[in-house]
Amino acid sequence: MIKRRKSKELTIGNIKIGAGAPISVQSMCNTDTRDINSTLNQISELAERGCELIRLAVLNKDAAEAIKEIVKKSPLPVIADIHFDYRLAIQCINNGINALRLNPGNIGKRENIEKVAALAKQQNIPIRIGINGGSLEKDIAQTDLPLSEKMVMSALRHIKILEDLDFDLIKVSLKSSDVPTTIEAYRLISDKIPYPLHLGITEAGTLRGGLIKSAAGLGTLLSEGIGDTIRVSLTENPAEEVTAGFEILKCLNLRQKGVNFVSCPTCGRTQINLIELAKKVEERFKDLDKPITIATMGCAVNGPGEAKNADFGIAGGIGEGYIFKKGEIIARVKENEILEKLDEIIRKSSI
């Protein structure tokens, strides 16, 4: 059992973050925020995948204005992502945004942050201090310290600004594209502040490489109890980020949403097309909202025996397969009938 770091609780829309609340999965739209319909359509698609918080890029005044309509119709709490212009943050708060993400490295003078914080406090809007390793303040970037320490220094500086204003609706992230740097930064700050932490590996890459980087970085931190909300940043359809986020959490027994899939590697004992079958099983049950484990195993050795803890499973034979439940074989069918029979059994089950 992972013992999670204790943190203050925040509420963003209807989502609780920190203080033992489930670790939330978020993503970011890749639509033009000014295109209200396209943005709302993507938010709805992400909500169907299980996304719990959505972030939108606010590049200019027109995007900030579009926030007003988007927030009214969005099925998810909306976070405005602000860079460079503090006035856009103020406009978004006035237009009903649920939370803000600010990058202190490029937001400008302290007095600008103070203006945003004063309004956010008045309207109970949480602020994420989003530190990026590649865009630190010049004086911090020029210090002779490891990047992870520079990132923590930047975060603590801006946390103090908000605390001096008696503002504590704070969430913090310290992201780098380098996995060890990101891990070290979160470790360093985790016992220095009481605020919830948003985890991510920034610019992680395309689907395959990005998933590996994110799983390594986020998995390490989550296994140490660090992290209250996550985003898996991928150069890909944002829906893949949501799926990946829940898969990482499921692997660590931190969330259970939908089916947990188990399958063995192929070997010389395998007498069926295991690779194809495992893919078909995942595709068939990917939208099944039951917290169960389904195993696709290549032979009797790895079937009911090694996968006996699975709720349901398949063990391959020569041109046929065995369907088992909790380690007990309940059906024997031809290879081309396995998927349909498994589907029938699972959907009729009360598990």
Side-chain angles (χ1 to χ4, degrees), residues 5 186-194 197 226:
R5 166 185 171 269
Y186 279 107
R187 284 173 173 165
L188 287 170
I189 206 168
S190 64
D191 61 355
K192 288 182 170 62
I193 61 171
L197 296 172
I226 298 171

Side-chain angles (χ1 to χ4, degrees), residues 156-205:
L156 294 176
R157 170 187 290 180
H158 291 280
I159 288 169
K160 187 175 187 310
I161 292 174
L162 295 181
E163 288 178 336
D164 287 347
L165 298 167
D166 196 28
F167 185 92
D168 66 353
L169 301 177
I170 300 170
K171 183 170 56 162
V172 179
S173 65
L174 306 98
K175 299 183 181 182
S176 167
S177 58
D178 180 70
V179 174
T181 296
T182 302
I183 291 171
E184 183 61 18
Y186 279 107
R187 284 173 173 165
L188 287 170
I189 206 168
S190 64
D191 61 355
K192 288 182 170 62
I193 61 171
Y195 306 112
L197 296 172
H198 167 69
L199 304 187
I201 305 296
T202 194
E203 297 118 24

Side-chain angles (χ1 to χ4, degrees), residues 267-285:
C267 75
R269 288 190 299 267
T270 304
Q271 300 295 317
I272 61 172
N273 190 337
L274 181 63
I275 295 174
E276 180 182 346
L277 182 58
K279 289 178 180 177
K280 287 181 177 178
V281 169
E282 284 201 8
E283 182 63 28
R284 176 67 68 99
F285 299 106

Side-chain angles (χ1 to χ4, degrees), residues 34-268:
R34 295 170 296 184
D35 186 339
I36 295 172
N37 289 334
S38 293
T39 300
L40 284 170
N41 286 339
Q42 188 170 72
I43 293 174
S44 295
E45 291 170 6
L46 293 171
E48 289 177 8
R49 281 287 185 108
C51 186
E52 294 161 313
L53 295 163
I54 192 68
R55 184 155 50 105
L56 303 181
V58 180
L59 281 72
N60 53 35
K61 291 181 180 179
D62 290 338
E65 186 60 29
I67 289 290
K68 184 186 295 185
E69 190 68 20
I70 292 169
V71 168
K72 288 178 184 177
K73 297 180 179 179
S74 172
L76 301 176
V78 181
I79 302 167
D81 190 79
I82 309 294
H83 292 262
F84 303 111
D85 193 343
Y86 77 96
R87 293 168 298 183
L88 296 177
I90 290 173
Q91 188 179 354
C92 286
I93 294 174
N94 289 330
N95 283 342
I97 204 70
N98 299 113
L100 290 172
R101 183 267 176 156
L102 300 179
N103 184 346
N106 63 34
I107 206 66
K109 301 175 182 177
R110 174 178 175 136
E111 63 191 58
N112 296 339
I113 299 173
E114 291 175 350
K115 291 174 185 176
V116 174
L119 186 59
K121 181 181 178 181
Q122 180 185 330
Q123 300 198 28
N124 219 36
I125 303 298
I127 294 176
R128 169 157 70 95
I129 296 174
I131 305 299
N132 267 1
S135 58
L136 297 172
E137 305 94 308
K138 287 183 179 179
D139 65 318
I140 291 178
Q142 292 170 356
T143 59
D144 187 21
L145 291 170
L147 179 56
S148 58
E149 294 183 27
K150 294 178 184 179
M151 293 164 66
V152 171
M153 184 185 295
S154 176
L156 294 176
R157 170 187 290 180
H158 291 280
I159 288 169
K160 187 175 187 310
I161 292 174
L162 295 181
E163 288 178 336
D164 287 347
L165 298 167
D166 196 28
F167 185 92
D168 66 353
L169 301 177
I170 300 170
K171 183 170 56 162
V172 179
S173 65
L174 306 98
K175 299 183 181 182
S176 167
S177 58
D178 180 70
V179 174
T181 296
T182 302
I183 291 171
E184 183 61 18
Y186 279 107
R187 284 173 173 165
L188 287 170
I189 206 168
S190 64
D191 61 355
K192 288 182 170 62
I193 61 171
Y195 306 112
L197 296 172
H198 167 69
L199 304 187
I201 305 296
T202 194
E203 297 118 24
T206 53
L207 186 59
R208 180 182 295 181
L211 283 176
I212 293 170
K213 278 188 180 181
S214 296
L218 274 60
T220 298
L221 291 166
L222 291 167
S223 70
E224 296 175 8
I226 298 171
D228 301 284
T229 174
I230 65 172
R231 179 195 175 192
V232 178
S233 300
L234 300 173
T235 311
E236 184 53 80
N237 185 322
E240 297 294 341
E241 298 185 349
V242 179
T243 299
F246 278 108
E247 288 299 318
I248 291 171
L249 293 175
K250 280 197 291 186
C251 287
L252 296 167
N253 295 327
L254 289 167
R255 292 287 297 268
Q256 181 62 55
K257 180 175 176 59
V259 176
N260 179 38
F261 295 102
V262 174
S263 58
C264 66
T266 59
C267 75

Side-chain angles (χ1 to χ4, degrees), residues 309-341:
N309 291 323
D311 296 290
F312 299 94
I314 302 165
I318 301 174
E320 63 182 8
Y322 301 90
I323 297 175
F324 56 92
K325 179 179 179 180
K326 296 289 188 181
E328 297 294 326
I329 295 174
I330 57 174
R332 177 179 175 178
V333 296
K334 294 178 182 178
E335 183 174 351
N336 62 359
E337 298 174 359
I338 292 175
L339 198 58
E340 292 299 329
K341 187 64 177 177

Side-chain angles (χ1 to χ4, degrees), residues 12-30:
I12 299 179
N14 62 343
I15 301 295
K16 301 288 186 184
I17 296 172
I23 296 169
S24 57
V25 175
Q26 61 179 271
S27 185
M28 187 171 183
C29 283
N30 59 11

